[in-house]
Amino acid sequence: MAGPFQNIELDGGQMAALYLLRYDEEGRLRSPQAEREVKDQLAAVTDVYLFAHGWNNVFAQALDRYHGFATGYIAQGTQFGIPRPAGSTPLLVGIIWPSTSFVMPWEGGPVIAGAPDPDGREAAEQEEMLGLVTESLSADDDESFVSAIDGQTSVDPVTARRLAEIVLNSLRTGPDPDDASPPPDPGELLKAWAALRGGNVPGPTPGTTFGTIGSGPSSGAPAAAALSFDPRDLLRIASVWKMKARAGAVGTHGVGPLVEHILRESGVRLHLIGHSFGARVVLSALTASSAERKAHAMLLLQPAVNRWCFAPRIENTGRSGGYRTVPAKLERPLLTTFSAHDEPLTRFFHLAMRGSQLGEPLTAAVGNTHLYGALGGYGPAGLDGDAVVQDAIVPGAASYPLDGSARVIAVNGTVNVTVGGTPVPAIGGHSDISNPVTWWALHDLTRPD
């Protein structure tokens, strides 16, 4: 799409252009004219704000979130009299990348209960997930996979293992880009699959149970012969893998060249904001850049990435996190939010994204949030003095410690803050990312003082 999609009013009657840039699933640019206009305007602007949405954001939703965040941020600046530098001219860029039309764990949580589906929505979601997953399969695997699950709500353990082997061979063939863990083997994937509905798969020791997503462990391990698996949950896990890889590709191959151009060919301050898997988009984009000039700031909102992604050494692997270089590519410390109220990232992420056991005790493998937990659910790990945890700040009350030694500031959104006289969680859920607390965090990162 050419030209600014919208113009958003700033204080004093000034306008900020909002451009939307589309990319396909491999990161190929689909809005070349709009990108040319963005590049042409770099000489006339002082700040570029680049936003990347998360999962389950079709075009209208992405536009609504970009517009809502921008207008809330602008209004808060006016409310608190936050100064903009003389002559400041911002440019807004929203990334539109192919996510999905159906609700996935990061936005609404997988469907755990077998509730009726009178409007056919769940059936439509299953069909879309099936297409997303099977597009990566060989012809033979596609036939076997579809034949085994088509119209099924339960498969036996032998069939489940065969399905697990198929998706692993196609979608999890190398180390995880976040935490460097090797892929799970089929048995480990079966344990995570069962745990999505609070079940357990027997371990090598009789009576051993594995972590679940419920309030506590189940009373015991069922006999393997009695266990059944809902194929919809495997589709959800595999769809998560696909979307994670897609977000990385869009960031590296699509947004990355634009970030590189902005840093090399202009002097504007670049501010990167990403939500959920959109955090992976902006992280991958900056990681891919070889420009010497740094981006000014990065704000990650409930990021769906592994909590060890910035670590110099990941526990049990000796490797560094996939985004270890990012904090050093920023002028200001990286701010990232996390919240215990984010059910998808505290209850589901580590089940879908877990790698191999890495030698830890088997009883901890499935529910291991220490190694496989989400940055947006539990905060960063493995950074020691390079990271600090800071309770979310009430807008106007204080500022984040941007002048300290920490290169990553984890904003605890679990705490209550009083906004408008009412105490509310700073971040009440995975998609609660356009609110006074997050606008204030961005103001702290971008204000001239």
Side-chain angles (χ1 to χ4, degrees), residues 367-398:
N368 192 332
T369 58
H370 174 65
L371 281 180
Y372 305 117
L375 181 62
Y378 298 95
L383 284 174
D384 299 325
D386 287 336
V388 63
V389 175
Q390 166 76 56
D391 283 351
I393 290 175
V394 177

Side-chain angles (χ1 to χ4, degrees), residues 5-388:
F5 194 85
Q6 288 183 347
N7 287 291
I8 298 177
E9 186 174 358
L10 306 175
D11 55 328
Q14 185 181 0
M15 306 298 287
L18 169 62
Y19 281 85
L20 299 179
L21 301 182
R22 284 186 181 271
Y23 298 87
D24 71 11
E25 63 272 11
E26 296 182 3
R28 289 184 292 250
L29 177 68
R30 300 182 64 196
S31 308
Q33 185 173 343
E35 187 193 62
R36 283 194 296 270
E37 292 187 24
V38 168
K39 291 178 177 179
D40 289 344
Q41 293 196 40
L42 293 177
V45 302
T46 59
D47 295 77
V48 171
Y49 293 77
L50 189 149
F51 302 81
H53 64 74
W55 203 325
N56 190 39
N57 282 266
V58 292
F59 179 84
Q61 293 170 318
L63 174 62
D64 181 66
R65 291 189 178 188
Y66 292 151
H67 182 273
F69 194 99
T71 55
Y73 169 77
I74 292 165
Q76 187 181 70
T78 301
Q79 175 187 357
F80 289 101
I82 298 173
R84 288 192 292 119
S88 171
T89 306
L91 178 68
L92 313 180
V93 178
I95 303 302
I96 306 293
W97 61 284
S99 48
T100 66
S101 64
F102 58 86
V103 174
M104 286 299 293
W106 319 138
E107 308 298 337
V111 179
I112 299 300
D117 186 30
D119 59 1
R121 178 177 177 182
E122 187 176 351
E125 291 174 358
Q126 182 175 354
E127 192 67 22
E128 187 170 350
M129 285 189 291
L130 182 62
L132 183 67
V133 172
T134 56
E135 68 183 14
S136 299
L137 305 182
S138 68
D140 288 343
D141 282 346
D142 176 77
E143 181 179 352
S144 298
F145 191 88
V146 174
S147 297
I149 71 170
D150 205 14
Q152 302 299 314
T153 58
S154 177
V155 296
D156 61 75
V158 174
T159 302
R161 187 176 186 88
R162 187 169 73 252
L163 295 173
E165 291 170 347
I166 289 174
V167 297
L168 282 169
N169 289 339
S170 298
L171 300 177
R172 286 291 294 271
T173 57
D176 185 273
D178 287 3
D179 60 20
S181 64
D185 63 32
E188 291 166 342
L189 177 53
L190 288 178
K191 295 180 178 70
W193 183 354
L196 273 174
R197 289 180 187 256
N200 295 280
V201 176
T205 303
T208 298
T209 59
F210 296 83
T212 73
I213 62 173
S215 58
S218 66
S219 58
L227 198 65
S228 65
F229 296 82
D230 191 324
R232 293 168 294 184
D233 291 331
L234 180 63
L235 287 176
R236 290 185 174 94
I237 291 174
S239 295
V240 169
W241 298 348
K242 283 288 301 259
M243 207 57 63
K244 175 180 180 176
R246 181 176 294 180
V250 169
T252 299
H253 305 300
V255 183
L258 176 61
V259 167
E260 177 99 7
H261 180 89
I262 292 172
L263 295 178
R264 284 189 181 276
E265 305 298 331
S266 78
V268 304
R269 301 195 314 170
L270 175 61
H271 317 289
L272 301 164
I273 304 100
H275 168 230
S276 188
F277 272 143
R280 180 176 301 282
V281 172
V282 296
L283 285 167
S284 298
L286 191 56
T287 298
S289 172
S290 60
E292 292 185 9
R293 194 168 74 87
K294 299 180 179 182
H296 187 263
M298 180 178 287
L299 175 62
L300 305 181
L301 301 167
Q302 297 308 107
V305 297
N306 185 278
R307 60 194 307 235
W308 291 81
C309 68
F310 303 125
R313 182 183 180 279
I314 299 170
E315 189 172 299
N316 291 342
T317 71
R319 300 180 182 178
S320 59
Y323 299 119
R324 171 65 180 139
T325 63
V326 167
K329 294 186 174 187
L330 298 167
E331 291 182 7
R332 292 197 166 175
L334 183 152
L335 258 64
T336 179
T337 66
F338 72 97
S339 174
H341 300 299
D342 187 330
E343 278 202 9
L345 295 189
T346 56
R347 297 182 65 199
F348 306 130
F349 181 91
H350 53 284
L351 295 175
M353 297 313 308
R354 58 157 296 178
S356 187
Q357 295 160 2
L358 298 173
E360 78 266 20
L362 292 178
T363 54
V366 174
N368 192 332
T369 58
H370 174 65
L371 281 180
Y372 305 117
L375 181 62
Y378 298 95
L383 284 174
D384 299 325
D386 287 336
V388 63

